[in-house]
Amino acid sequence: MSHLVTQRVAALVAAAAGGLLLIALAVANAAGYRFGVADQAFYLPSILEAADPALYPRDDQLIDAQGRLMVTDEITAWLVTHSGIKIETLFLASHLASLALLFLAVWLLGRRFARHRWTAVAGCLAVTLRHRIMETGANTFEGYYHPRGLAFACGVAAAAALARERHGAACALVALAMVLHPTTGLWWAVWLSTAALVLLPRYRARLMAAGTAAGLAAVAALWLTPLAEGLRVMDAAWVRPFAAKDYVFPTAWPASAWLVNLLLPVVIVGVVAWRRRIGIAARWETGMAAGTVALTALFLASLPLIAGRLALAVQLQTSRIFWVLDLFAVLAVTWFVAEGGRGATAAPGRPVGSPFGGPSAMAGWRPAAVAVTLLVASAARGTYIMLVEHPERSFVQARLEDTAWVRIGGWIAARTPVDTYVLADPDHDWKFGHSMRLTARRDVLVEGVKDAAVSLYDRDVATRVQARIDAIGDFSDLDAVEARDLARRFDLDVLVIDRDLPLRELHRDGRFRVYELEP
């Protein structure tokens, strides 16, 4: 008995160590974990506004354009205000939890798909190699926390539950994914419902009835609620701010993007068909292939609506279904490299060869070699990214960076009224690392990249954003006269800029100055 307990403890320790290694590799391949960057430029202000409605009196329409579609902003704000947990701590913990759930789910999927445990290990290591899903605006995972990352991990866990015929758990996980991030959850709901129709013929009538009811409810919501805005056709003024974003209009993709992305479902279905032909495919794999076909068909069916600029079709960003397909394709290719060929004749899930040794360990030399190769590749790539590509970044940046730009924002937050209106470089978010809305917690005239992305959800916001971008023009040429003209036009209070101007200086830090803009 004591020997059995020792073995179980050793297995748990090894699993925990392996999980920590996978998370570390993922963080390194994402160029470190960072707080307050990228899409958090809008997600965090939405949370801050939910916690303190006095914030952003002028930008509330802009923030709500996307925030009204999600409930996680209010949930997160409630947690922060009622638990005493700092939002920085909550985000770091949530990001680590997202990665941990993702790799656990990938491992469980791998164990159902592969003959060798080493192949499941290889699948997890392959997933650490973060990459962009071509022309979709989505990465396989991010270097920061966002609810869509946790929602995606819940979807993968739902797939793993389905593979083990835990149908209730699979449905609950997809429902949770839809609460966390509706569109990410939607792709997993389409995948799961299609897979369930194939795998559960005795429940097919009930599932189809439930699907029909859900479809009718969605149509009613579109006609009878503010979501009816999605049935409008986008005109040129609405489209202009985000027209250059490749992930919005897949109808404009180059041939290479079509080739790469449509190859994903071909790989998945092809590998499953080959496994079925040689008699090693598990029953759930048919459902996986069916879900893959359904997602691909949904994407293709959306293209005419996107080409016609139907708002809802554009806003759904159906190209992101390839995020789901990419994961299954990575696991399928990893299995084929590790186990495919004439030796692939045993049923999946049978532990032939253990990553922790044992009598049959030598039988898994090829999967083990693939796993070791992927480990070396992931570690080398992560090291190169951290030390060569981004030597300025720390491995974990759990709060806003201590830079002159961030300190300037902190000064504005501490020394100016809550309704202060700020003029800054429209490109400051990507130039200087953080959004002024986040660092200063004040309204900002315009943030070019992020505001343009949010314009997707509201025509009034789109025209407002474009008008302000046009009004500013080339910020690098902005002079005092133009700054005063903008102040009169938009009722601005302060200007943040990185050069001297003949205006009343309120504060400076490093290269940045804060000037008062007289009424």
Side-chain angles (χ1 to χ4, degrees):
M1 178 66 89
S2 61
H3 179 64
L4 180 61
V5 171
T6 302
Q7 281 187 324
R8 289 181 176 177
V9 169
L12 288 173
V13 170
L20 290 174
L21 175 61
L22 290 169
I23 291 172
L25 290 171
V27 171
N29 276 271
Y33 168 81
R34 294 183 295 156
F35 173 79
V37 299
D39 288 348
Q40 288 184 1
F42 251 92
Y43 182 53
L44 278 165
S46 184
I47 295 170
L48 295 173
E49 184 187 42
D52 183 1
L55 292 176
Y56 311 113
R58 292 179 175 90
D59 286 341
D60 57 345
Q61 181 187 8
L62 180 74
I63 292 171
D64 291 345
Q66 186 176 34
R68 69 184 179 219
L69 304 175
M70 298 175 62
V71 298
T72 47
D73 306 348
E74 289 77 13
I75 294 171
T76 306
W78 186 90
L79 285 172
V80 171
T81 54
H82 288 79
S83 68
I85 300 174
K86 291 184 177 181
I87 196 166
E88 295 89 346
T89 303
L90 180 61
F91 270 36
L92 176 58
S94 299
H95 183 65
L96 296 177
S98 300
L99 291 175
L101 179 59
L102 173 64
F103 288 119
L104 175 61
V106 169
W107 164 261
L108 293 174
L109 271 178
R111 289 301 299 126
R112 295 298 293 172
F113 198 67
R115 180 188 181 203
H116 298 270
R117 290 194 182 99
W118 276 115
T119 305
V121 172
C124 292
L125 289 166
V127 170
T128 66
L129 295 168
R130 175 182 180 266
H131 56 275
R132 187 189 185 203
I133 314 300
M134 196 170 183
E135 302 289 350
T136 66
N139 296 305
T140 51
F141 56 85
E142 302 293 356
Y144 56 88
Y145 172 69
H146 194 279
R148 68 170 177 264
L150 184 54
F152 185 81
C154 288
V156 183
L162 182 70
R164 283 166 168 70
E165 299 191 7
R166 307 286 178 86
H167 306 129
C171 292
L173 285 163
V174 166
L176 178 58
M178 295 192 72
V179 171
L180 289 167
H181 196 263
T183 52
T184 301
L186 176 62
W187 313 139
W188 282 108
V190 170
W191 181 89
L192 178 67
S193 58
T194 306
L197 281 173
V198 172
L199 295 177
L200 304 172
R202 65 183 182 278
Y203 296 119
R204 196 166 290 165
R206 298 180 190 177
L207 290 169
M208 293 183 71
T212 301
L216 292 174
V219 171
L222 282 174
W223 281 107
L224 303 175
T225 71
L227 292 175
E229 179 79 6
L231 298 178
R232 294 177 59 184
V233 174
M234 291 179 163
D235 59 14
W238 191 347
V239 171
R240 189 180 171 198
F242 53 85
K245 295 185 180 295
D246 53 11
Y247 60 85
V248 176
F249 298 110
T251 48
W253 281 357
S256 57
W258 284 102
L259 177 63
V260 171
N261 287 332
L262 291 181
L263 184 63
L264 299 176
V266 171
V267 167
I268 297 166
V269 173
V271 168
V272 170
W274 188 74
R275 286 166 59 89
R276 285 175 61 85
R277 185 171 65 83
I278 63 175
I280 66 170
R283 201 170 69 92
W284 73 275
E285 295 176 37
T286 303
M288 179 179 71
T292 295
V293 172
L295 285 174
T296 306
L298 175 63
F299 168 72
L300 295 175
S302 73
L303 293 177
L305 301 177
I306 294 172
R309 301 294 190 262
L310 183 71
L312 182 62
V314 176
Q315 291 162 356
L316 283 174
Q317 299 178 53
T318 54
S319 62
R320 295 199 176 197
I321 65 119
F322 292 106
W323 187 12
V324 176
L325 303 188
D326 180 88
L327 175 81
F328 289 132
V330 165
L331 295 180
V333 170
T334 302
W335 170 82
F336 189 82
V337 173
E339 296 185 16
R342 287 177 295 179
T345 56
R350 187 174 297 168
V352 181
S354 165
F356 312 117
S360 58
M362 290 301 293
W365 69 267
R366 183 173 150 201
V370 173
V372 171
T373 301
L374 287 169
L375 173 62
V376 172
S378 181
R381 182 171 180 258
T383 301
Y384 178 83
I385 289 172
M386 292 301 303
L387 299 183
V388 179
E389 288 188 354
H390 296 285
E392 77 285 358
R393 293 184 185 177
S394 57
F395 190 71
V396 174
Q397 175 214 309
R399 55 186 56 82
L400 296 177
E401 296 176 280
D402 183 19
T403 63
W405 176 257
V406 172
R407 291 193 297 270
I408 283 285
W411 184 90
I412 293 173
R415 301 295 184 89
T416 65
V418 72
D419 61 348
T420 297
Y421 209 2
V422 179
L423 171 62
D425 187 336
D427 295 327
H428 68 262
D429 180 31
W430 63 266
K431 282 184 178 179
F432 308 134
H434 295 290
S435 163
M436 180 62 70
R437 283 195 187 96
L438 176 58
T439 61
R441 302 193 178 192
R442 297 291 183 266
D443 294 311
V444 178
L445 183 63
V446 69
E447 293 185 10
V449 175
K450 296 305 174 188
D451 290 6
V454 174
S455 299
L456 188 70
Y457 302 100
D458 191 297
R459 186 186 185 280
D460 291 340
V461 169
T463 55
R464 159 186 155 155
V465 168
Q466 191 60 53
R468 296 177 181 206
I469 291 174
D470 292 341
I472 293 174
D474 187 349
F475 191 82
S476 63
D477 292 333
L478 185 76
D479 59 26
V481 174
E482 293 169 332
R484 289 193 182 101
D485 287 342
L486 288 169
R488 283 191 291 270
R489 180 176 173 183
F490 296 106
D491 195 24
L492 298 165
D493 298 302
V494 297
L495 165 66
V496 180
I497 200 165
D498 58 352
R499 59 184 182 275
D500 291 325
L501 291 178
L503 296 168
R504 180 171 176 261
E505 184 178 301
L506 301 177
H507 182 67
R508 74 165 56 199
D509 192 319
R511 60 189 277 207
F512 300 106
R513 292 93 162 128
V514 181
Y515 291 113
E516 181 182 31
L517 293 173
E518 297 175 3

